Amino acid sequence: MDAEALGTRVAQAAQPAQPAPAPAAQPDRAPGPAGPCARWPAEQGETIRQIVDRAGDKWTVLIIGTLENGPLRYTELQRAVQGISQRMLTHTLRQLQRDGLVTRTSHPEVPPRVEYALTELGATLLVAVTALIDWAGTHHDEISDNRARFDEATTATATTTATAAQA
């Protein structure tokens, strides 16, 4: 997929999805499940949860974000996604291929060259992934401060409880 097609696909992905219409309420039945999956047919619930689990996985987010600018070789991906093990990169790439978010292209060369790229479907996820990564970067300091305060308060409470128990 060329850069122009990817840009068009990303712009289209920014448009809100149109969920299936909610079934009409039946007065003699208890209200159905609430929450973000409630607007989709119940029989799709498990698959939707699996998709959300895949799309929200930290390695998926980082790999999709890394492939934003075009295809990369396996070793380039491994260098770009710091902290990912070879096993986890291989596993995540296979899952992304299975879901149709990433393609794997093997070039018949010596030495062999394999590249990974976003599919059109994967490019639609790029908008959400980029927003999540940007949100994390924007709120990094605030969240770090909150964690430090929480940890400090938790440690202080544990120390006070231990001191009281010894007395």
Side-chain angles (χ1 to χ4, degrees):
M1 174 177 0
D2 65 10
E4 184 177 332
L6 180 60
T8 301
R9 193 67 176 167
V10 169
Q12 290 171 344
Q15 302 301 316
Q18 298 298 318
Q26 297 181 3
D28 58 335
R29 292 176 57 179
C37 292
R39 63 180 172 246
W40 301 99
E43 63 272 7
Q44 294 178 359
E46 179 62 24
T47 304
I48 290 170
R49 283 187 291 280
Q50 290 170 356
I51 293 166
V52 169
D53 184 46
R54 166 73 45 230
D57 173 72
K58 73 176 177 181
W59 299 122
T60 295
V61 168
L62 295 173
I63 290 168
I64 295 289
T66 301
L67 290 172
E68 176 180 15
N69 295 320
L72 291 174
R73 295 176 78 163
Y74 182 92
T75 53
E76 294 170 324
L77 268 171
Q78 192 170 26
R79 268 187 251 123
V81 181
Q82 294 183 5
I84 193 167
S85 67
Q86 182 175 347
R87 180 182 172 279
M88 185 53 67
L89 178 57
T90 299
H91 173 75
T92 305
L93 286 168
R94 283 188 181 142
Q95 291 302 312
L96 293 172
Q97 283 179 265
R98 180 176 183 246
D99 291 339
L101 301 173
V102 167
T103 59
R104 177 184 188 273
T105 304
S106 181
H107 299 279
E109 299 174 355
V110 177
R113 180 171 56 107
V114 176
E115 291 182 326
Y116 295 88
L118 292 177
T119 62
E120 288 185 25
L121 181 61
T124 65
L125 182 57
L126 188 58
V127 174
V129 163
T130 302
L132 181 59
I133 292 169
D134 289 347
W135 181 88
T138 299
H139 298 287
H140 173 272
D141 293 342
E142 182 180 355
I143 291 172
S144 293
D145 292 346
N146 289 337
R147 287 177 177 179
R149 275 193 301 279
F150 179 88
D151 293 347
E152 188 176 300
T154 303
T155 303
T157 302
T159 304
T160 303
T161 304
T163 303
Q166 291 175 356

